[in-house]
Amino acid sequence: MIIEDLNINWKADGLSTYDWPAMDKNGKIAIMVNESWGDLPKALLSNDNAKSLLNPFFEHIYEGLDEYSQYSYNKHGQTILDLYTNNYTNLKERKDVEKSVAKLSKQKVLLDEGLFAKKGVFVYYGFLDCEENYFLVDYTGKIKTGDYYRSYLPTI
């Protein structure tokens, strides 16, 4: 993520992926991953201090060396799969994908699937309709490039 490239005139261009934190009205934290196409909030783009605000958050979430490491503990949750794209895995059945995500969420290594169980955050990805056959499995609504969809849910 190259925060220095962000400004109020920034537009998604398909070249750089940015992660940013979000919170809903109930105080639940999510990591938003724009996948090079999702919009970023104007509050982030208009803030000249975005890097200094985001870096400590992501150092903490991804267990880097940070000043809050004494508060970083494993919440011992599990990750539940919500929506996923048809190219996420070669597994064909949803139940098999769910089992794989649940297994990966329990590993000690901080993989994508386990991050959310360990930290208690949701994750949303920006949708990229790069091919005709690219779709969200089991989703019947309309979705277009740049829309965000919820992929993982923590059990905690």
Side-chain angles (χ1 to χ4, degrees):
M1 173 166 45
I2 307 169
I3 299 290
E4 290 84 5
D5 293 343
L6 298 179
N7 62 59
I8 197 68
N9 298 314
W10 177 87
K11 298 282 184 217
D13 59 7
L15 300 175
S16 299
T17 295
Y18 294 94
D19 297 359
W20 53 279
M23 183 185 315
D24 71 11
K25 66 181 180 180
N26 298 312
K28 302 291 184 187
I29 302 292
I31 295 176
M32 311 294 285
V33 182
N34 87 325
E35 294 289 55
S36 303
W37 290 107
D39 286 335
L40 300 178
K42 296 292 182 208
L44 174 66
L45 296 174
S46 64
N47 190 325
D48 292 335
N49 297 322
K51 181 177 181 178
S52 63
L53 294 172
L54 292 178
N55 279 353
F57 173 79
F58 285 111
E59 283 290 322
H60 175 68
I61 290 294
Y62 294 113
E63 295 188 355
L65 300 173
D66 72 277
E67 61 188 284
Y68 306 108
S69 61
Q70 70 267 25
Y71 306 112
S72 187
Y73 59 92
N74 185 343
K75 296 181 185 270
H76 301 288
Q78 193 172 9
T79 299
I80 298 172
L81 180 68
D82 190 6
L83 296 173
Y84 64 100
T85 59
N86 59 310
N87 72 345
Y88 170 75
T89 179
N90 60 354
L91 298 172
K92 300 295 182 207
E93 298 294 322
R94 182 179 179 88
K95 65 180 173 28
D96 295 330
V97 180
E98 288 172 344
K99 285 180 190 174
S100 173
V101 167
K103 182 179 177 184
L104 290 170
S105 77
K106 295 176 184 176
Q107 291 188 0
K108 290 187 180 195
V109 176
L110 200 59
L111 301 171
D112 277 354
E113 292 82 359
L115 174 69
F116 315 106
K118 290 175 178 60
K119 298 298 182 171
V121 297
F122 293 80
V123 68
Y124 289 75
Y125 287 106
F127 183 73
L128 172 58
D129 187 10
C130 60
E131 303 171 12
E132 239 179 77
N133 295 337
Y134 194 68
F135 58 89
L136 293 176
V137 175
D138 298 332
Y139 182 73
T140 57
K142 293 185 186 253
I143 190 165
K144 65 185 181 319
T145 293
D147 288 347
Y148 284 89
Y149 65 93
R150 187 176 63 191
S151 184
Y152 300 118
L153 298 88
T155 58
I156 50 172

